[in-house]
């Protein structure tokens, strides 16, 4: 068994499809210039707020998945088997101008 340590903040227990989860609020992105795998990119508010629902059911993984030195989707079954720890639900763009949701 592997141990994963992280700061959940305010969390609550929940069950979905017979599986137990810890559910915690998350801020996924704040508009602005962010460093990423492709270097620094500007994420304008209108782009970040465009359709928050596309983040619902996005897998949460430990580390960014790679295959053959390239970034790959976290939705890949092999990635989920090795690195998957949960999913994002209830995503929205809040009054503070941040893309937020719940990490399950």
């Amino acid at each position: 068994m592997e141990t994963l340590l992280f700061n959940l903040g305010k969390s609550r227990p929940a069950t979905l499809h017979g599986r137990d989860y810890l559910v915690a609020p998350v801020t996924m992105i704040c508009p602005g210039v962010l460093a990423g795998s492709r270097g620094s990119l500007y994420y304008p508010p209108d782009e970040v707020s465009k359709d928050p629902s596309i983040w619902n059911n996005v897998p949460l993984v430990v580390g960014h998945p790679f295959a053959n030195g390239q970034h790959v989707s976290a939705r890949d079954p092999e990635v989920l088997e090795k690195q998957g720890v949960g999913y994002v639900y209830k995503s929205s763009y809040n009054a503070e101008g941040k893309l937020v949701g719940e990490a399950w």
Side-chain angles (χ1 to χ4, degrees):
M1 182 170 147
E2 204 170 314
T3 300
L4 179 63
L5 180 64
F6 49 93
N7 183 356
L8 281 178
K10 187 175 182 175
S11 64
R12 62 181 168 81
T15 302
L16 180 64
H17 302 298
R19 185 170 179 186
D20 293 332
Y21 290 89
L22 283 176
V23 180
V26 293
T27 299
M28 295 180 285
I29 191 169
C30 299
V33 177
L34 303 172
S37 59
R38 297 180 184 162
S40 296
L41 295 173
Y42 175 61
Y43 295 87
D46 60 322
E47 187 66 29
V48 174
S49 65
K50 191 180 286 184
D51 186 5
S53 69
I54 64 172
W55 287 89
N56 288 323
N57 209 37
V58 168
L60 296 173
V61 295
V62 176
H64 287 284
F66 284 89
N68 301 317
Q70 300 292 317
H71 290 279
V72 295
S73 174
R75 296 178 192 265
D76 182 288
E78 291 176 12
V79 171
L80 287 172
E81 180 66 26
K82 292 177 185 174
Q83 296 172 248
V85 293
Y87 296 90
V88 173
Y89 294 112
K90 297 186 179 182
S91 58
S92 65
Y93 191 73
N94 71 13
E96 290 84 35
K98 298 176 183 179
L99 181 62
V100 298
E102 289 185 346
W104 284 65

